[in-house]
Amino acid sequence: MSETGAADDEREAAAAASAVRSFLEARSCAVIGASRDPSSIGGRLFRNLVTQPFGGVVYPVNPKAAVVQGVAAYPSIDDVPGEVELAFVAVPSAHVLEVADACGRKGVQALVVISAGFAEVGPEGAERQRELMSVCRSHGMRLIGPNCMGIANTDPELCLNGTFVSAWPPEGRVGFMSQSGALGLAVMNQAAAMGMGLSSFVSVGNKADISGNDLLAYWGEDPRTDVVLLYLESLGNPRRFGTYARRIGRRKPIVAVKGGRSAAGARATSSHTGALLAANDTVADALFRQHGVIRTDTLEEMFDVATLLANQPVPTGDRVAIVTNAGGLGIQCADTCEARGVHVPELSSDTVATLRDFLPVEASVGNPVDMIASASAQDYARTIAAVAEDPGIDALIVIYIPPLEQDAPPIARALIETVGGLRRSLPVLTCFMSARGVPDELRRADLGIPSYAYPEQAAIALAHATDHGRWRTKPEGSFPDLPGIRQGEAGATLAAALEHDASWLAPDEVGALLDAYAVPRVREELVTTPEEAAEAAARIGDRVVLKAAGPVHKTEASAVRLDLAPEQVAEEAVDIARGLADRGDAPAGFIVQELVRDGTEMLVGAAADPVFGPVVAVGAGGVTVELTRDVAVRVAPLTDRDADEMVRELATFPLLDGFRGAAKKDVSALVDVILRVGALADRHPEIAEMDLNPVMVLPRGAVVVDARIRVRPVPADASHAPASPADAGSRG
């Protein structure tokens, strides 16, 4: 990223953080719609603010009541005598616009609209929401909501409980955002019940203005927040999300649950790449993985991971030791760890010898360490201390199932004391499978040792944390300078194609576009007749490939002939034309190509996702790509690290790396093609789908053998503007 792009990014993040600060750190607020009825939303919200109590001043506004819950009320925001930084609005939707306008005139900086009846209810509500935003912008006022459940900040000096939830979680190091109000309510209750402390909470509702990206920017610099939790139903600006997440995630883990794992968002496509990316969730997964966001499948998993990361160090490796008093539970835990990419290695000989000195002969001192059911608190203490010192271990899971319920508290006390005295820093997780749950000793401990109901939960939480630790240690990568690109020439080609209402580009247009981005192509000629095809073959070489110009999937249309001598070409061209005519397709001409030998077929493609913008895919090429679905996906713009990882994570990567003694292929050349395709798709939003299939990767170099590109006019409201790698980080 250029210095200018980085500076723009920093300014944008600072502005976003400042906007959120005006909500979560306000020192004066008003509740418009504050009610004498403590069971109403306005009544509960006001009660929460005054009983917590808020570390500033609170003004109730109610035109029909002189006093609200023992506090003098004001008929309108205009009548409030003091300054109001933050206003909560809990009035019927029909009155929200006039209330917002009055707040703007009063000088309110931040508006939280609890009221429903906006974009979530249909076109009329959507228009009302647009008008609300217009009012806010005219006064320079920022908005959370509408249709949200409020905000909270647990800082003891502020104690802002601007929600209508009955539960109040303890102060902690976790920032939480929910896009769903009902789910946010449940999460607040669950956090309080679990004792998981929050630094702040925001329900964004319809996200008309303040979004998860703004909150990421705030929590990224908030000294009270170490872990960020996000419940997302949509991503309004994936580019900005990726930029913020990539920077913040290296210091503070980001854990997300996002709905939409089904293929309900699939769109009609005509290319291999489009089919592979048809399920929108594939792209969401790629975005999260690319930028280090921990994605969990369930809210329970999210809490499990957050409890670990908020209290224990991020794992520096993927090796875990398991200590238990029940062998079966240890095996279950080990199986889950291994299935999730966390290894359960043998302990060192020194560790084994130490354990043998005090554990009974019946104990197993491998890994898992099974101390058997009679294990005492002292056995747990000595075993944990010994195993934690093993240099081949990066994390520790301690499992206990009490033969007698009264045994659990002393085990918990021994665990707390031992872990607190460990000489090295590594994450420690526990599983107390007691009918009474986690012992109070462990729950109350300041040490912050997470405890789980089942071993599998602990293993899955550790696997997520381990993946995140692995991502943190990877080089960030850079946006490489790609020589030979003629962006203006590519733009002119696309503009000309759109002028004559093209959808799929003609072969010469495809060639011109790829040439403008210096994407290497096989030597070829486009001709009109079988006779011209034969002449072209004679010019190209001894052996050629003949294709019809036109059909999308040429193999399925029997429109490809391989390994032909020049004298065979005319006859084969006639045969192709006859076959296509029988299908009702007249060939647009013929393509004669040099035959490429000794290459591995790969697919490189791109598609314009309606939410995420240009998405790049690489996978096994040829006709089986959709069957094998061996594909890696990233969201543009791509760094050199992104492109290299895409290739190396493929199941078919060994075919490029000298599988069974075959010659190694030029992986760097394939990476270069991926980067150029990514740049082409990113800078030219007119490209809807692009298939380079196959790309032949050779011992030296890579060439595109077949390519199809579909274009469409750029929608007027497109949020994914063309970009260059230099400024990719600064765009929304």
Side-chain angles (χ1 to χ4, degrees):
M1 186 188 304
S2 69
E3 291 184 10
T4 301
D8 288 345
D9 177 43
E10 291 296 330
R11 281 193 294 270
E12 184 181 74
S18 176
V20 175
R21 199 174 296 114
S22 66
F23 290 89
L24 290 175
E25 299 179 20
R27 291 288 176 172
S28 60
C29 67
V31 180
I32 303 168
S35 173
R36 290 172 294 183
D37 178 3
S39 66
S40 68
I41 289 178
R44 278 183 283 169
L45 194 153
F46 181 72
R47 183 185 61 191
N48 283 346
L49 281 166
V50 295
T51 59
Q52 210 53 45
F54 177 49
V57 58
V58 184
Y59 301 103
V61 175
N62 186 326
K64 298 180 180 179
V67 176
V68 172
Q69 299 183 41
V71 180
Y74 301 89
S76 73
I77 190 72
D78 297 315
D79 299 307
V80 172
E83 179 187 24
V84 178
E85 299 174 54
L86 167 66
F88 296 90
V89 179
V91 301
S93 59
H95 301 294
V96 168
L97 294 181
E98 61 183 280
V99 166
D101 190 47
C103 287
R105 294 195 306 270
K106 177 69 175 176
V108 171
Q109 301 171 28
L111 197 69
V112 179
V113 176
I114 307 293
S115 314
F118 291 85
E120 80 280 2
V121 299
E124 183 180 341
E127 178 57 31
R128 187 181 297 119
Q129 184 166 304
R130 283 190 289 271
E131 292 174 4
L132 173 60
M133 274 307 305
S134 178
V135 169
C136 289
R137 288 194 183 102
S138 69
H139 293 290
M141 186 167 51
R142 300 306 299 267
L143 169 69
I144 286 179
N147 185 35
C148 72
M149 57 168 286
I151 63 176
N153 185 343
T154 64
D155 184 348
E157 293 186 6
L158 191 65
C159 218
L160 170 66
N161 186 1
T163 74
F164 50 87
V165 182
S166 57
W168 177 249
E171 181 190 8
R173 310 293 300 175
V174 177
F176 181 75
M177 184 217 84
S178 177
Q179 194 170 338
S180 162
L183 187 139
L185 188 151
V187 166
M188 287 278 280
N189 286 324
Q190 181 69 6
M194 290 178 60
M196 188 184 82
L198 299 182
S199 59
S200 50
F201 165 81
V202 176
S203 165
V204 293
N206 292 0
K207 295 197 303 182
D209 183 16
I210 296 293
S211 70
N213 293 339
D214 301 303
L215 292 165
L216 272 181
Y218 172 79
W219 283 320
E221 64 177 43
D222 178 27
R224 297 181 58 252
T225 300
D226 292 334
V227 179
V228 175
L229 304 187
L230 305 172
Y231 175 77
L232 301 166
E233 293 172 354
S234 64
L235 283 165
N237 192 320
R239 287 181 178 276
R240 190 175 300 161
F241 177 86
T243 299
Y244 289 177
R246 183 173 60 244
R247 187 183 71 247
I248 295 164
R250 293 191 177 270
R251 298 177 288 109
K252 302 182 180 186
I254 301 167
V255 188
V257 173
K258 182 186 176 295
R261 280 199 178 275
S262 71
R267 57 196 180 277
T269 57
S270 302
S271 69
H272 292 299
T273 303
L276 291 168
L277 301 179
N280 180 272
D281 196 64
T282 300
V283 186
D285 261 343
L287 180 74
F288 290 150
R289 188 170 62 253
Q290 190 172 349
H291 299 298
V293 176
I294 303 167
R295 183 177 190 179
T296 61
D297 293 324
T298 65
L299 290 170
E300 182 180 50
E301 267 187 44
M302 182 179 72
F303 275 116
D304 288 345
V305 176
T307 302
L308 170 59
L309 292 172
N311 293 290
Q312 295 288 306
V314 174
T316 57
D318 61 1
R319 303 163 301 177
V320 63
I322 301 167
V323 173
T324 181
N325 68 338
L329 296 178
I331 292 170
Q332 284 181 281
C333 187
D335 287 346
T336 305
C337 285
E338 291 283 357
R340 294 288 187 126
V342 180
H343 302 302
V344 186
E346 292 290 332
L347 300 176
S348 71
S349 57
D350 288 345
T351 303
V352 170
T354 301
L355 296 175
R356 275 289 172 222
D357 281 343
F358 63 86
L359 288 178
V361 67
E362 299 87 355
S364 171
V365 294
N367 190 13
V369 177
D370 177 11
M371 300 177 295
I372 70 174
S374 60
S376 65
Q378 185 181 23
D379 291 332
Y380 266 93
R382 296 178 70 181
T383 301
I384 290 169
V387 172
E389 288 295 317
D390 193 311
I393 296 302
D394 305 302
L396 181 60
I397 297 177
V398 181
I399 304 170
Y400 177 68
I401 182 166
L404 299 171
E405 284 295 333
Q406 61 265 30
D407 292 345
I411 297 291
R413 287 192 292 270
L415 191 152
I416 292 166
E417 183 178 345
T418 305
V419 172
L422 293 178
R423 290 184 294 181
R424 55 183 296 227
S425 176
L426 78 169
V428 179
L429 301 79
T430 67
C431 172
F432 269 72
M433 297 191 67
S434 166
R436 297 176 184 171
V438 179
D440 289 340
E441 289 82 359
L442 190 60
R443 191 184 296 276
R444 290 197 301 263
D446 294 334
L447 191 62
I449 304 173
S451 195
Y452 302 91
Y454 298 99
E456 295 87 349
Q457 282 181 266
I460 292 170
L462 179 61
H464 282 301
T466 299
D467 286 342
H468 182 68
R470 190 181 295 119
W471 175 82
R472 279 189 173 191
T473 62
K474 291 179 181 177
E476 289 194 49
S478 60
F479 297 105
D481 180 32
L482 300 172
I485 289 180
R486 304 183 299 279
Q487 187 171 339
E489 186 177 311
T493 298
L494 289 166
L498 290 171
E499 279 184 6
H500 58 78
D501 296 325
S503 176
W504 290 97
L505 296 185
D508 58 331
E509 294 170 323
V510 171
L513 203 55
L514 295 180
D515 289 346
Y517 271 73
V519 177
R521 296 189 295 130
V522 69
R523 184 185 174 194
E524 66 179 25
E525 292 189 29
L526 175 64
V527 297
T528 306
T529 66
E531 293 75 21
E532 290 175 351
E535 293 169 2
R539 288 191 293 270
I540 287 174
D542 295 335
R543 310 300 295 183
V544 298
V545 174
L546 176 69
K547 302 176 183 180
V552 174
H553 300 310
K554 297 180 177 65
T555 303
E556 295 173 12
S558 299
V560 179
R561 300 290 189 272
L562 303 175
D563 202 4
L564 301 178
E567 57 269 21
Q568 297 175 285
V569 168
E571 183 179 349
E572 293 294 335
V574 170
D575 188 59
I576 288 175
R578 186 182 302 116
L580 288 174
D582 291 342
R583 294 165 53 100
D585 295 321
F590 301 95
I591 301 171
V592 183
Q593 292 181 334
E594 177 185 5
L595 179 66
V596 179
R597 302 180 187 275
D598 301 323
T600 298
E601 292 189 345
M602 301 296 292
L603 172 145
V604 178
D609 186 277
V611 174
F612 296 93
V615 181
V616 182
V618 61
V623 298
T624 61
V625 57
E626 288 176 42
L627 178 65
T628 62
R629 302 194 73 82
D630 181 28
V631 62
V633 178
R634 297 291 188 276
V635 178
L638 304 181
T639 67
D640 51 3
R641 177 65 55 178
D642 291 330
D644 188 70
E645 287 181 351
M646 289 172 76
V647 176
R648 295 178 188 279
E649 71 186 41
L650 293 171
T652 47
F653 174 70
L655 297 178
L656 298 168
D657 198 39
F659 184 66
R660 292 193 173 181
K664 289 192 175 187
K665 304 305 188 293
D666 192 343
V667 172
S668 62
L670 176 60
V671 167
D672 185 69
V673 171
I674 296 167
L675 289 168
R676 291 177 184 277
V677 167
L680 178 56
D682 188 47
R683 301 180 195 183
H684 301 280
E686 303 93 336
I687 296 173
E689 296 179 70
M690 175 164 42
D691 255 356
L692 312 186
N693 183 30
V695 177
M696 298 296 286
V697 188
L698 308 169
R700 289 193 62 184
V703 292
V704 176
V705 172
D706 197 33
R708 296 283 292 170
I709 299 175
R710 183 171 69 85
V711 298
R712 82 300 192 229
V714 180
D717 60 347
S719 60
H720 309 289
S724 67
D727 65 8
S730 65
R731 293 182 298 113

